[in-house]
């Protein structure tokens, strides 16, 4: 399977599971997550999303349904855009129903997520320049330094313009008018007047000048007001005179921002910065431990972007940030926990996953793959990482370390932390990684977690996952020979495949239907013992969008062996040349006995298959 096909398949299955394009109000992505705002969250099948190969997890937070993809998220996002869903509203849904913190976090994510990669790049360049000048490799008087520093600091200096563009999109305001307002805030004449202490007035009203370079809150509030003003003007100004809308908006908003919104926002920024600084100053060690230990949960629920304004306030007010510095070793701790699993496990697939996600977190600071792909799955590694994140946070806060730019903590970004407390910060990061790795290796993981035999105490009459019925009539084939590598290599679990000769497709066990795709191409059933059975009908059949499939059961239905789940127009699909090989696997199983290859299976009749991991996914 090519990468393009892989991303397209993930996109199609995720979009189907969230309720289709019509249920998507808006979509954006960050470093590892697709962030959906849905028209009706109840239409999204979270179990179906989790079952998509390539999805590491799903969570709901801040009014968003967040699908964790990992570092491939830009490609999956692009594939979803190709299906007719863009970052803009695709349904015209009104988001006005959101209230309180949900709305605040949604606004913050919408404003900052689009620029987060550029911010990280500029921050890393700043850190490298600090390293180069501190080590004496580069002079601050050289032209090379001047040009590179302009490339790094220019983004932060003109941050109001960047935020104006993203805020305009969030508040449905004219993007270029918003950028015009931001440009006025950093206009050289006004900056010079501020630097010189010159007093200005507007129509006799005194203007309290301040520095808006690197600022965050003033322009966001200004654009929010701009959006309201533009909507009001468009109600009264005929479309033939539309040019009056930007004229009036600029004439009103620039003075209003300089006289009222800017000073108020600056005061709010100062209060936020002083409040955070004062809280940490009360007891840096305790505050650092609490922040560090809690941060993995904040990241898990996707709420970390909600703290970005505080970080920018710290940078603008103090020239350095300590919040993301205190919480930064979390990246090292979760990477270390995954590395401990890598060292301990003898399972080939898990070793590869744990090793790659650990390196991604350690080198690039992207920890969601390690958290969702490894640590949370086995629980202990996640909490061990959280504990060492707290210990490292306490050390970092105690030594007073900080960063000169907004960056995620990783080996590549360490130069950004050069300054007060840098050595202590390095020690904290080392303790976070090595401590988590060692404790996870010794106490946090063993391969026995992969081998949890099923019991039948809940329902003695239920079949174990080791005795499965054929989901469809046909010829039994070797699962290792099917066209899809995920099934052939056992990534989804061990099981059997059947080349079908007649429908319908039935439940292979007694249990509860955990998910059925609207397209009918796949479904899952959980036994009373906890084993989860996945049945996938054909390959690339999701692209048929339900044509030829009739879904006969729903999520939550109690079914017996042989209960029809999906009816398939098998003859019509086979005539189209579609590979209808149907795979049945025990989710999470790592070993299994082969079945009678070539035998004719009858839907609802037993196929003996023994699995050593039948307790289902955690």
């Amino acid at each position: 399977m090519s990468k393009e096909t892989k991303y397209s398949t993930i996109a199609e299955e995720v979009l189907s599971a969230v309720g289709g394009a019509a249920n998507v109000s808006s979509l954006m992505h960050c470093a590892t997550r697709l962030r959906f705002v849905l028209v009706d969250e109840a239409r999204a099948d979270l179990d179906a999303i989790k079952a998509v190969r390539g999805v590491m997890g799903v969570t709901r937070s801040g009014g968003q349904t967040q699908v964790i993809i990992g570092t491939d998220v830009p490609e999956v996002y692009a594939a979803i855009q190709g299906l007719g869903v863009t970052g803009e509203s695709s349904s015209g849904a009104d988001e006005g129903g959101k209230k309180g913190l949900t709305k605040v976090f949604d606004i913050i994510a919408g404003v900052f997520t689009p620029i987060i990669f550029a911010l990280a790049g500029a921050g890393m360049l700043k850190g490298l320049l600090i390293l180069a000048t501190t080590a004496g490799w580069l002079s601050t008087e050289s032209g090379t330094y001047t040009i590179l520093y302009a490339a790094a600091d220019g983004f932060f200096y003109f941050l109001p313009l960047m935020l104006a563009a993203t805020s305009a999109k969030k508040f449905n305001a004219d993007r270029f008018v918003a950028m015009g307002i931001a440009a006025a805030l950093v206009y050289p004449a006004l900056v010079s007047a501020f630097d010189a202490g010159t007093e200005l007035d507007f129509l006799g009203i005194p203007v309290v000048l301040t520095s808006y370079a690197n600022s965050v809150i003033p322009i966001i509030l200004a654009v929010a007001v701009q959006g309201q003003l533009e909507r009001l003007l468009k109600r009264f100004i005929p479309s033939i005179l539309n040019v009056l809308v930007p004229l009036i908006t600029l004439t009103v908003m620039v003075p209003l921002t300089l006289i009222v919104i800017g000073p108020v926002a600056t005061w709010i920024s100062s209060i936020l910065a002083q409040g955070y600084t004062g809280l940490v100053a009360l007891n840096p060690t305790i505050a650092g431990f609490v922040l560090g230990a809690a941060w993995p949960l904040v990241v898990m629920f996707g709420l970390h972007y909600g703290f970005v304004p505080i970080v920018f306030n710290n940078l603008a007010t103090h020239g350095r940030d300590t919040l993301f510095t205190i919480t930064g070793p979390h990246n090292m701790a979760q990477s270390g926990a995954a590395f401990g699993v890598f060292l301990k496990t003898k399972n080939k697939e898990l070793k590869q996953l744990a090793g790659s996600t650990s390196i991604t977190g350690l080198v690039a600071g992207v920890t969601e793959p390690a958290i969702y792909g490894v640590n949370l799955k086995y629980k202990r590694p996640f909490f061990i990482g959280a504990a060492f994140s707290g210990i490292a946070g306490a050390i970092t806060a105690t030594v007073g370390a900080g960063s000169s730019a907004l960056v995620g903590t990783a080996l590549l970004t360490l130069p950004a932390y050069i300054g007060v407390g840098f050595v202590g910060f390095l020690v904290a990061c080392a303790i976070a990684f090595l401590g988590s790795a060692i404790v996870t290796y010794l106490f946090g993981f063993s391969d026995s977690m992969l081998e949890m035999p099923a019991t039948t105490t809940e329902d003695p009459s239920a079949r174990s996952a080791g005795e499965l019925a054929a989901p469809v009539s046909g010829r039994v084939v070797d699962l290792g020979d099917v066209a899809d590598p995920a099934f052939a290599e056992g990534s989804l679990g061990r099981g059997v495949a059947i080349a079908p000769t007649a429908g319908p497709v039935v439940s292979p066990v007694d249990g509860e239907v955990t998910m059925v795709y609207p397209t009918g191409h796949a479904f899952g059933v959980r036994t009373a013992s906890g084993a989860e059975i996945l049945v996938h009908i054909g390959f690339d059949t999701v692209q048929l969008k339900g044509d030829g499939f009739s879904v006969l059961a729903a999520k939550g239905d109690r079914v017996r062996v042989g209960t029809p789940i999906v009816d398939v127009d098998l003859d019509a699909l086979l005539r189209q040349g579609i590979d209808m090989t149907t795979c049945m696997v025990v989710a999470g199983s790592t070993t299994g006995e082969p079945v009678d290859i070539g035998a004719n299976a009858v839907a609802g009749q037993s196929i003996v298959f023994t699995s050593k991991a039948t307790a289902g996914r955690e």
Side-chain angles (χ1 to χ4, degrees):
M1 181 187 295
S2 68
K3 286 188 176 181
E4 291 75 13
T5 302
K6 169 188 171 184
Y7 299 141
S8 296
T9 301
I10 294 173
E12 290 166 353
E13 295 189 0
V14 168
L15 188 58
S16 173
V18 298
N23 195 39
V24 180
S25 173
S26 64
L27 172 65
M28 66 187 74
H29 76 86
C30 55
T32 58
R33 305 171 189 232
L34 295 169
R35 293 170 174 261
F36 290 92
V37 176
L38 301 178
V39 178
D40 182 4
E41 290 187 342
R43 290 172 58 188
D45 189 335
L46 299 189
D47 287 333
I49 297 172
K50 293 175 185 176
V52 174
R53 180 166 53 91
V55 170
M56 296 181 177
V58 60
T59 184
R60 279 183 173 149
S61 182
Q64 298 176 338
T65 298
Q66 302 175 10
V67 181
I68 296 89
I69 300 294
T71 53
D72 289 338
V73 71
E75 289 79 11
V76 176
Y77 175 78
I80 292 179
Q81 286 186 311
L83 298 174
V85 177
T86 68
E88 307 286 351
S89 173
S90 60
S91 63
D94 181 10
E95 296 181 39
K98 296 176 184 175
K99 297 179 181 179
L101 285 177
T102 294
K103 189 169 185 177
V104 171
F105 278 115
D106 178 63
I107 290 172
I108 292 173
V111 169
F112 286 99
T113 297
I115 63 172
I116 203 69
F117 284 110
L119 281 171
M124 289 173 65
L125 181 54
K126 257 192 171 184
L128 291 173
L129 288 174
I130 292 173
L131 174 62
T133 54
T134 302
W137 303 333
L138 191 64
S139 168
T140 57
E141 306 298 323
S142 68
T144 301
Y145 174 85
T146 301
I147 292 171
L148 290 178
Y149 190 78
D153 191 54
F155 191 94
F156 292 95
Y157 184 89
F158 292 105
L159 185 62
L161 276 80
M162 317 298 177
L163 294 177
T166 57
S167 298
K169 182 176 178 180
K170 193 64 187 174
F171 295 114
N172 296 316
D174 186 292
R175 183 174 303 183
F176 295 102
V177 172
M179 294 178 70
I181 297 170
L185 298 182
V186 293
Y187 190 67
L190 290 180
V191 173
S192 298
F194 168 73
D195 292 338
T198 304
E199 294 184 2
L200 295 180
D201 68 83
F202 179 78
L203 299 178
I205 303 173
V207 176
V208 180
L209 287 177
T210 186
S211 174
Y212 292 105
N214 302 289
S215 64
V216 173
I217 296 179
I219 190 60
I220 295 176
L221 293 182
V223 176
V225 176
Q226 173 202 343
Q228 297 293 331
L229 176 60
E230 287 177 341
R231 281 188 283 280
L232 178 64
L233 292 174
K234 289 176 182 177
R235 289 176 56 188
F236 298 100
I237 296 176
S239 58
I240 196 172
L241 298 175
N242 268 348
V243 69
L244 294 178
V245 175
L247 168 64
I248 297 173
T249 302
L250 284 170
T251 304
V252 171
M253 287 306 306
V254 172
L256 183 64
T257 302
L258 290 171
I259 295 170
V260 180
I261 298 175
V264 170
T266 301
W267 176 77
I268 294 173
S269 301
S270 176
I271 293 297
L272 283 173
Q274 291 176 16
Y276 164 74
T277 303
L279 181 64
V280 174
L282 286 175
N283 192 312
T285 305
I286 294 177
F289 180 82
V290 172
L291 282 170
W295 202 249
L297 294 173
V298 174
V299 172
M300 186 177 75
F301 289 109
L303 300 177
H304 44 305
Y305 286 122
F307 295 85
V308 169
I310 297 177
V311 174
F312 275 119
N313 280 330
N314 291 340
L315 291 170
T317 305
H318 306 296
R320 64 200 298 267
D321 169 63
T322 57
L323 175 56
F324 275 11
T325 308
I326 291 172
T327 58
H330 142 83
N331 291 348
M332 301 296 185
Q334 292 298 326
S335 300
F339 190 68
V341 174
F342 164 78
L343 294 176
K344 189 67 173 286
T345 185
K346 292 181 173 59
N347 180 274
K348 182 179 178 181
E349 290 84 2
L350 180 57
K351 183 176 284 288
Q352 182 179 4
L353 176 64
S356 63
T357 57
S358 175
I359 292 173
T360 300
L362 182 66
V363 177
V366 179
T367 56
E368 276 94 335
I371 291 175
Y372 286 94
V374 180
N375 298 345
L376 265 179
K377 184 175 182 180
Y378 303 107
K379 294 185 176 64
R380 288 184 194 173
F382 176 79
F383 290 108
I384 289 171
F388 278 95
S389 177
I391 294 170
I395 296 172
T396 300
T398 301
V399 300
S403 67
S404 58
L406 189 151
V407 291
T409 301
L411 292 180
L412 292 176
T413 64
L414 289 178
Y417 300 92
I418 292 175
V420 175
F422 179 59
V423 174
F425 180 68
L426 293 180
V427 171
C429 288
I431 290 175
F433 182 84
L434 295 175
S436 296
I438 293 170
V439 175
T440 298
Y441 180 85
L442 294 176
F443 308 108
F445 177 82
S446 69
D447 279 339
S448 63
M449 295 179 179
L450 303 174
E451 301 176 355
M452 296 177 289
T455 63
T456 57
T457 55
E458 295 183 33
D459 184 359
S461 66
R463 291 169 179 255
S464 73
E467 297 178 1
L468 304 178
V472 67
S473 297
R475 182 174 57 85
V476 178
V477 298
D478 189 343
L479 188 65
D481 292 337
V482 301
D484 191 319
F487 286 102
E489 296 170 4
S491 300
L492 299 174
R494 302 298 180 182
V496 299
I498 297 174
T501 55
V505 184
V506 305
S507 174
V509 291
D510 298 341
E512 178 183 351
V513 177
T514 55
M515 62 94 178
V516 181
Y517 277 93
T519 54
H521 76 285
F523 64 87
V525 182
R526 181 187 295 119
T527 70
S529 62
E532 292 195 27
I533 316 302
L534 171 66
V535 178
H536 195 284
I537 307 165
F539 297 122
D540 296 326
T541 43
V542 66
Q543 299 179 16
L544 298 175
K545 303 185 186 305
D547 290 345
F549 293 81
S550 297
V551 177
L552 306 176
K555 177 182 177 182
D557 286 356
R558 300 292 303 180
V559 293
R560 305 290 293 180
V561 171
T563 301
I565 306 294
V566 178
D567 198 8
V568 184
D569 189 348
L570 194 60
D571 291 338
L573 296 177
L574 288 173
R575 281 197 300 270
Q576 296 177 42
I578 298 171
D579 186 348
M580 293 302 297
T581 301
T582 298
C583 298
M584 174 178 66
V585 298
V586 181
S589 59
T590 56
T591 60
E593 296 298 327
V595 296
D596 188 5
I597 305 301
N600 290 321
V602 178
Q605 292 188 8
S606 292
I607 293 179
V608 177
F609 172 74
T610 303
S611 166
K612 292 186 178 180
T614 58
R617 293 172 297 171
E618 297 183 27

